[in-house]
Amino acid sequence: VVPDLALSRGGDAHRQARLLGNRSLEFAAAAGVALTHVELGDVDVAEQWLDLAAEAAQAVATPLRARQLEVARGLARAAAGDAHGMREHLERAVRLATDQGRPAARCETLATLALAAALLGAASGDEDLLSLADRSANDAKELVRVLPGHPPWGAEADAALAQVALARGSEEVAADAARSVFETLRAAHLEDVFLRIVLPAARAILTAGTDQEQEAIRHELRTTAALIAQRIQDERVRVQWFRGPLGRELSELAGSSGERPRKPAADGARPADLDADETDLLWLLIEGRTNREIAAELGVGEDVVAQRLAVMYAKIGVSSRGEAAVFAFREGVV
């Protein structure tokens, strides 16, 4: 998860591809940038990039690009909360995969449809969407059994089933499906964090798992949040990511600010003698919270937040949120 690089390198690749007349690379770059904007919650900008991807795809039309474009448009519509648009594009992608006789592509698109429908259905209480998610997930699970390797689509289908079960009040069923998600991903030894899959499964564990499972999941999510925050060098993009759909949910599920991970300095002392409250304040800055949001989180006034920030800035020798975040990572505070 490095959205600042995805945006900058993707934009550069798209410009160079246009100059070179390489429509295949132009399509790939535009689609990649679009999906990054979806991740950031910037759906309108994502749609603009998808239009550019569609323009390139028309020039060098292939069944693969047609299916990829439908999947990307479906994910954008899902991010916008548009269930009808999501279904239209993702179901079309499933039909394309079926018509092309590609079981792996059909499995992948079914799993994507299942999770998108499950999330929207759970949010709206739409039983029709939940039923669609249930059917699509089970179809994907049947297909993944005959595919070689360790694709993540079975885990994605189980994440959808976990969401469906939670929405229907079947908490133990949800927890079992979520356990299957983590077992599948761990067995595959995949490097991608797969947040779209992990977060719904984590929610099921945190709702119905054992105390030990819940603590393990929270620890994993906190570690992931710290790694993501450290990887995103562009402060503006980091703030936008943590305010976006994935970042917000990750922060919520990882726990309240008082539960965030803290690393002691090598000698056991806190860097710059920061206390626990100041370490929590650093985390809230990294997540892009405004003074008003920090005040609401901590239950104090905005003037108190401003005073605490001024004291902390002076203590660690910085003058901005971005410099404070760099300090936190450099000194091992988070």
Side-chain angles (χ1 to χ4, degrees), residues 18-40:
R18 287 180 72 92
L19 289 173
L20 294 170
N22 187 329
R23 305 311 292 268
S24 297
L25 179 58
E26 185 182 334
F27 169 81
V33 172
L35 289 174
T36 302
H37 279 292
V38 169
E39 185 178 299
L40 293 170

Side-chain angles (χ1 to χ4, degrees), residues 57 124 214 269 309 330:
S124 63
Q214 291 180 9
L309 287 174
R330 186 183 68 237

Side-chain angles (χ1 to χ4, degrees), residues 153-200:
W153 310 318
E156 188 170 11
D158 278 322
L161 293 174
Q163 281 296 294
V164 171
L166 274 184
R168 291 172 172 171
S170 302
E171 293 187 353
E172 284 304 317
V173 175
D176 285 342
R179 292 181 186 109
S180 182
V181 170
F182 292 110
E183 288 170 4
T184 300
L185 292 179
R186 287 167 186 149
H189 301 291
L190 300 169
E191 293 183 2
D192 198 313
V193 293
F194 292 109
L195 281 179
R196 285 188 62 254
I197 300 173
V198 165
L199 293 179

Side-chain angles (χ1 to χ4, degrees), residues 56-99:
Q58 287 176 351
V60 283
T62 68
L64 173 61
R65 292 192 189 100
R67 188 176 70 250
Q68 289 175 329
L69 187 60
E70 290 298 335
V71 170
R73 287 201 183 279
L75 290 174
R77 289 294 83 211
D82 176 8
H84 176 75
M86 177 277 295
R87 289 190 67 163
E88 180 181 3
H89 289 292
L90 292 184
E91 288 180 334
R92 187 178 299 144
V94 172
R95 289 195 298 272
L96 286 170
T98 304
D99 293 343

Side-chain angles (χ1 to χ4, degrees), residues 118-137:
L119 292 171
L120 287 177
S124 63
D126 187 326
E127 180 57 36
D128 186 43
L129 283 176
L130 294 177
S131 295
L132 171 64
D134 199 341
R135 293 193 305 273
S136 301

Side-chain angles (χ1 to χ4, degrees), residues 69-323:
L69 187 60
E70 290 298 335
V71 170
R73 287 201 183 279
L75 290 174
R77 289 294 83 211
D82 176 8
H84 176 75
M86 177 277 295
R87 289 190 67 163
E88 180 181 3
H89 289 292
L90 292 184
E91 288 180 334
R92 187 178 299 144
V94 172
R95 289 195 298 272
L96 286 170
T98 304
D99 293 343
Q100 293 157 18
R102 296 185 176 274
R106 177 174 166 79
C107 181
E108 181 182 10
T109 49
L110 278 169
T112 301
L113 171 60
L115 186 53
L119 292 171
L120 287 177
S124 63
D126 187 326
E127 180 57 36
D128 186 43
L129 283 176
L130 294 177
S131 295
L132 171 64
D134 199 341
R135 293 193 305 273
S136 301
N138 282 299
D139 287 348
K141 284 171 66 68
E142 284 294 322
L143 279 169
V144 83
R145 291 189 179 97
V146 300
L147 296 178
H150 299 279
W153 310 318
E156 188 170 11
D158 278 322
L161 293 174
Q163 281 296 294
V164 171
L166 274 184
R168 291 172 172 171
S170 302
E171 293 187 353
E172 284 304 317
V173 175
D176 285 342
R179 292 181 186 109
S180 182
V181 170
F182 292 110
E183 288 170 4
T184 300
L185 292 179
R186 287 167 186 149
H189 301 291
L190 300 169
E191 293 183 2
D192 198 313
V193 293
F194 292 109
L195 281 179
R196 285 188 62 254
I197 300 173
V198 165
L199 293 179
R203 184 174 293 280
I205 292 294
L206 293 173
T207 300
T210 65
D211 291 344
Q212 184 177 6
E213 288 173 330
Q214 291 180 9
E215 182 53 37
I217 289 300
R218 283 200 181 93
H219 175 75
E220 186 174 329
L221 294 178
R222 292 168 197 156
T223 302
T224 299
L227 289 172
I228 290 171
Q230 188 169 3
R231 287 173 180 170
I232 305 175
Q233 298 299 306
D234 187 310
E235 180 185 359
R236 180 188 62 80
V237 177
R238 184 176 62 249
V239 169
Q240 188 177 4
W241 191 89
F242 274 102
R243 286 174 175 272
L246 290 180
R248 282 198 312 271
E249 187 171 11
L250 176 60
S251 295
E252 175 194 342
L253 296 179
S256 65
S257 60
E259 298 174 314
R260 301 200 197 286
R262 308 184 185 96
K263 295 181 184 176
D267 59 1
R270 290 184 182 279
D273 295 325
L274 292 179
D275 61 28
D277 289 341
E278 288 167 329
T279 303
D280 292 337
L281 194 57
L282 270 176
W283 259 110
L284 293 169
L285 291 182
I286 289 168
E287 292 177 358
R289 308 290 187 92
T290 65
N291 283 13
R292 176 174 296 180
E293 290 168 339
I294 293 173
E297 171 94 11
L298 301 180
V300 298
E302 288 186 58
D303 56 333
V304 174
V305 171
Q307 291 170 4
R308 290 184 183 178
L309 287 174
V311 170
M312 185 182 69
Y313 285 176
K315 184 181 288 189
I316 63 179
V318 303
S319 59
S320 71
R321 280 168 152 76
E323 290 178 4

